[in-house]
Structures are given as C-alpha cells and as structure tokens.
Amino acid sequence: MSNTRITLAGIGCGARTRTYMKLAMERPDRFQITAAADIVPVRAEQVRDYAPENERAGVRLFSSAAELLAQPKMADVAIIGTQDDYHFEPCKKALELGYDVLLEKPIAKTLREALELRDLAAKLGRRVAICHVLRYTPFYNAIRNVIQSGELGEIITFNANEGVGAWHFGHSFVRGHWGSSIASTPMIVAKCCHDMDILYWLMGRKCENVASFGELSFFRKETLREPRPVRCVDWTTPVGEDPWDARKYISDESCRRWLRMVMDGAETATEEEITEWLRTSKWGRDAFQCEDNDQPDHQVAIMRFMGGLTGTFTMTAFEEGRHIEIYGTKAKLRAGAFYKDNGPGEITVTEHFSKTIRKVEVEEPDGGYAGHGGGDWGLVDSLYDDMRTVPDADAMTTSIAASAHSHVIAFAIEHARRTGEVIDLAEFERKVLSGELNY
Ligand SMILES: NC(=O)c1ccc[n+]([C@@H]2O[C@H](COP(=O)([O-])OP(=O)(O)OC[C@H]3O[C@@H](n4cnc5c(N)ncnc54)[C@H](O)[C@@H]3O)[C@@H](O)[C@H]2O)c1
C-alpha cells in the first residue's frame, strides 16, 4: 500500500456500504474514497458526496460491480456491500485484482463458495475482514475480557438468545431483503452468523456438533382470521391496529427509521410519496400475506464445542435484543438487554459460593452506541490497523478464516433443522467441499 491513507472502493453502495463510508470519512486522515459502484446511480453518488469537497471530483463512479472490477485496481480496500446472493463473484474478482476486502456477511450465499473465498484469500495472501460488527462492540469485548481473565473459572456451558425484535423481523425477515431464504440465505446464516461468530470468538474453540429445531409459525396467511387486502395502504382499519401495519412507516417515527435503509430519498419524502412507494414496494405488503417468506420466526440450536463445552442458542422474532448467560466453574456471567433493563446490570459476574455480584463496566464507544451497539464505528476504527498495522491476516479482528468456521456452524445448524439430525461439523464441511451435500 503506497498512500499513507487507506483508499477505499465501495461496491454495492446500499445501507451498509454507505454507513461504513460515512464513518470512514470521519477519519479523513486515515481513509480516502477513490471509487464507488452501484446499479442505482444516486447511491454511488451519495458515497462520493461523503468525500471532502476537494476530493469528490477524484472519486470514480461505476454503474455496476462488474464495471468497476473490469478496471485495474483503484483502491487498497474494496468494501463489498451487495446483497447476500452477490458477494462471491465481486469478492473473488477483487481478490484476483489485488484488493484487500471488507466483505459484508454472509461471506457468500453458499457455504461452498464461502470456503472457496477463504482458501483463495489464503492462497493469494490477501486480507479479508468480514463485517461481524459484534466483535467490535465494547459490550462483547467486556464479556471476552471477563472470560479471558479467568474470573469465571473453566467455562462449562452457556445459553445465548438473539431477540430480533418484532418490527425488525417483519421489516427484514418477512417483507424485506431476507424474507426468502432462497433469494438470500437461511435465517441462521443471514442474521445469526453474527451470533455463531461471537460464540466461537467468546468460547475460543471450535464447535464440533449441533442439532436444531425451528419453524415459521406466525407470519403466514393461516394466522389471519379474515381475508384482507395484501397492500396495507388499502386497509380501512385504524393505522397500527395490526402491529405490523406498513402504514406505520409513515405514522410512527421508530418504524420510519427502518424506511431510510430501503427507500431512496426517504429522509425528505412526503407522506404521499411514501404511500405511493408502499403501493408497489415489498415493504408495503401485509406481513401475513407475503407469500415468498419462509424464514423461521423461532429457531433453537444446541451446540457442543471442543472439550465438551455445551451451549444453547435461541433466535426469535418475539424478543428484543441479545442476552447471554455463561456458566463457569467459579462464577456465572449474565449479560445483555434483558439484564440491563431488569437488573442486576448490563453485565454482571456472580461468584458461586460468596454470591457476590460484580457489575462489569462497559466503556461508552467513541462513536456512541448508535449502529450495532457501537460495532459499526468500532469496525471502521479497527479497519486501518487490520488492513495495515497487524502483522498478518490471522491477527485481524475478524479474518475470513475465522468467519468461515462461523459459517460452517450456521449452515450445519440449518442442515440439522431441515433433517432433524445431529451434525458432526468436520464431516459436514468435508461433505460440502466434496459436493456430497449442497450448501
Ligand atoms: N453487518 C451487519 O450487521 C449487516 C446488517 C445488515 C445487512 N448486512 C449485509 O450487508 C449486505 C448489504 O445489505 P444492505 O442492507 O446494505 O443492502 P442494500 O440492498 O441496501 O445494498 C445493496 C446494494 O447493492 C446494489 N447492487 C445490486 N446489484 C449490484 C451490482 N451488480 N453492482 C453494484 N451494486 C449492486 C444495490 O443497488 C444496493 O444499493 C447484505 O449482504 C446484508 O446481509 C450486514
């Protein structure tokens, strides 16, 4: 890398890439935007406009990933934020052109492609960081510090819970980008590869076996008592009577926040413009009549890690925020949104015999808690060191090699859910690589 700053090319300038680019431009001493590509021109232009005024003219814009990647390398790092089904091709091409990559999760739509990218990055000696934002949060770093300090003794077992949140689930995993596992990836991969990654990172050892159950129980036509129009804007009932009423994108500020991630110009759109958009957009559909949604709204997994450490994991639409209990031979740790709201505190350690409870301090992140509990900011803040300062790819905060194991866990859990079998992960990975299993 020549420049003292790291130069960035944005590929797929949707919500995620724009977030990272905007944060990167808060550190203009460290980062410079040199190129942006999106099939929707206004999104690439938005990325260009994050650059300082005197550098905007130098940002090259492209109308697709393929067009940008047909040029010789024009940045140190490619930020790839296209949708789940289009990570593999641009990432492979970027690696071949000599880019290091910041790649959105999941690594790829299939496990086989994810493992291929892992191996290609290793072969070419490129750095690929995966956007597992939780690894960069003060919250999970505080938990990891407790585990590594030995305060809990030897870790024996844990329970982890990912509450997606009722509106978030409807927005993203019923109506939205990830409602169809066919078009995107299975729920346990699309959303919970973050959880698999953070559990692997916290436990500090590989997972060996998994089993799982889970279903789509609620967001189905069968849940409705009476027929009603498919488009919420055609309903005559009072707005919000149905909690997932899409008209709340207009009337309710906490719901409207989600609109900005999917509707171009949402910040300044009038009520009439949003209503028109809801008439044709997939976010305007009744959450119970989407037809193409198949993601489970609840799923449980049981996991066995090396050395016999066990854990349970629950994903549900009907809880808000993550929480975790980790049980060691000396003490237990309880942490997360539930404990923050209901006591004894966001992260606490209770010693088994004295029953003393220690509250663990969680540092307020520099960029505040906005954006994945400070993880978005933490990720961009670490990007410079990960790409430039640390000695090799293994020393990065999130390497593709580490993330690939999280993906093996997640895809194996999906296989367990579909088949009802207990899965041996080494065997599963071998079968996927040989083509015996199609994941
Ligand atoms: N790390 C996280 O916490 C997190 C959170 C949300 C989403 N994600 C992941 O980030 C990725 C992007 O999500 P998003 O919400 O930003 O989606 P998005 O739909 O807002 O962004 C994707 C962008 O890619 C563009 N695009 C599509 N085809 C293209 C092509 N051929 N060339 C160039 N651009 C193209 C689209 O126009 C769009 O602007 C997804 O894989 C998603 O799973 C990660």
Side-chain angles (χ1 to χ4, degrees):
M1 294 181 186
S2 46
N3 198 330
T4 53
R5 294 190 285 174
I6 288 179
T7 51
L8 304 172
I11 296 177
C13 299
R16 298 309 304 158
T17 299
R18 292 204 302 274
T19 296
Y20 299 132
M21 287 295 200
K22 199 170 175 191
L23 289 169
M25 286 304 97
E26 289 179 23
R27 302 298 305 267
D29 55 322
R30 294 193 143 199
F31 300 106
Q32 179 185 5
I33 301 173
T34 52
D38 201 293
I39 53 172
V40 181
V42 68
R43 298 181 188 166
E45 285 159 19
Q46 247 177 299
V47 165
R48 177 199 58 203
D49 293 346
Y50 294 146
E53 218 171 328
N54 61 340
E55 290 182 1
R56 282 182 203 155
V59 180
R60 299 179 63 188
L61 300 185
F62 297 90
S63 60
S64 71
E67 196 184 288
L68 187 152
L69 293 167
Q71 309 292 319
K73 182 177 176 235
M74 59 187 85
D76 298 317
V77 175
I79 299 185
I80 301 182
T82 41
Q83 273 303 341
D84 296 16
D85 64 347
Y86 190 53
H87 287 183
F88 177 74
E89 290 83 0
C91 186
K92 186 170 182 219
K93 184 73 187 160
L95 292 176
E96 287 165 351
L97 283 171
Y99 287 93
D100 289 317
V101 175
L102 176 66
L103 176 63
E104 255 307 350
K105 61 82 205 163
I107 298 174
K109 186 163 160 47
T110 68
L111 180 57
R112 188 135 28 117
E113 288 172 343
L115 298 174
E116 190 179 326
L117 289 178
R118 172 196 66 184
D119 296 342
L120 182 66
K123 186 175 141 206
L124 297 175
R126 306 267 185 269
R127 296 185 184 204
V128 181
I130 309 300
C131 300
H132 287 304
V133 286
L134 301 181
R135 283 200 188 204
Y136 304 83
T137 59
F139 173 78
Y140 280 107
N141 276 282
I143 295 177
R144 192 162 184 253
N145 288 342
V146 170
I147 293 172
Q148 292 192 337
S149 74
E151 191 177 359
L152 303 180
E154 190 188 334
I155 307 300
I156 300 295
T157 191
F158 66 81
N159 301 322
N161 198 300
E162 141 98 277
V164 180
W167 181 267
H168 181 182
F169 193 91
H171 171 89
S172 296
F173 304 101
V174 179
R175 296 179 165 125
H177 294 308
W178 307 282
S180 159
S181 68
I182 318 284
S184 60
T185 43
M187 185 67 192
I188 196 77
V189 177
K191 183 76 173 116
C192 309
C193 69
H194 280 321
D195 299 272
M196 298 309 123
D197 183 69
I198 210 71
L199 292 170
Y200 168 43
W201 187 67
L202 289 177
M203 297 308 136
R205 59 183 96 176
K206 286 197 165 176
C207 180
E208 291 184 331
N209 305 88
V210 296
S212 179
F213 298 97
E215 284 166 42
L216 172 59
S217 299
F218 186 63
F219 294 100
R220 310 182 304 149
K221 208 172 184 174
E222 293 75 12
T223 303
L224 292 178
R225 290 209 201 100
E226 286 168 18
R228 62 186 184 187
V230 171
R231 291 275 156 193
C232 298
V233 287
D234 297 327
W235 293 355
T236 50
T237 50
V239 175
E241 195 175 86
D242 177 306
W244 289 274
D245 187 342
R247 292 173 294 174
K248 285 167 70 181
Y249 282 118
I250 301 168
S251 63
D252 182 325
E253 189 42 44
S254 64
C255 301
R256 194 169 176 154
R257 194 170 71 78
W258 293 91
L259 202 62
R260 297 186 195 121
M261 297 179 212
V262 294
M263 180 189 172
D264 293 312
E267 289 84 356
T268 52
T270 62
E271 278 190 21
E272 291 70 30
E273 284 166 340
I274 298 174
T275 305
E276 267 323 294
W277 184 81
L278 290 174
R279 271 188 208 294
T280 51
S281 147
K282 53 188 184 180
W283 288 273
R285 297 176 296 172
D286 179 359
F288 298 88
Q289 301 186 74
C290 286
E291 305 289 353
D292 59 349
N293 68 302
D294 64 350
Q295 301 283 24
D297 46 32
H298 59 116
Q299 182 166 3
V300 293
I302 52 174
M303 312 166 77
R304 181 185 180 281
F305 288 71
M306 284 168 73
L309 191 161
T310 56
T312 64
F313 171 74
T314 298
M315 177 285 300
T316 176
F318 306 107
E319 163 69 305
E320 187 101 28
R322 291 180 168 89
H323 60 87
I324 188 165
E325 296 91 41
I326 302 174
Y327 303 98
T329 50
K330 290 185 186 165
K332 69 181 174 198
L333 176 145
R334 289 173 292 178
F338 175 83
Y339 296 110
K340 189 176 182 185
D341 296 343
N342 301 291
E346 190 174 14
I347 305 178
T348 57
V349 175
T350 308
E351 202 273 330
H352 293 319
F353 295 102
S354 68
K355 310 274 188 241
T356 51
I357 298 179
R358 182 174 82 80
K359 288 194 178 189
V360 178
E361 287 300 316
V362 182
E363 244 176 71
E364 170 87 15
D366 283 354
Y369 277 107
H372 293 112
D376 290 351
W377 170 255
L379 183 148
V380 173
D381 201 33
S382 300
L383 188 62
Y384 187 90
D385 286 337
D386 279 341
M387 290 297 171
R388 188 158 285 181
T389 313
V390 300
D392 54 40
D394 289 341
M396 295 165 71
T397 317
T398 319
S399 69
I400 190 168
S403 174
H405 181 63
S406 317
H407 284 62
V408 173
I409 304 174
F411 277 103
I413 290 176
E414 179 61 6
H415 185 55
R417 184 181 79 90
R418 287 186 198 170
T419 59
E421 291 170 14
V422 176
I423 311 299
D424 177 294
L425 264 63
E427 183 76 355
F428 177 72
E429 184 172 339
R430 188 190 63 70
K431 285 184 175 171
V432 169
L433 282 170
S434 71
E436 224 175 300
L437 278 175
N438 197 18
Y439 281 95

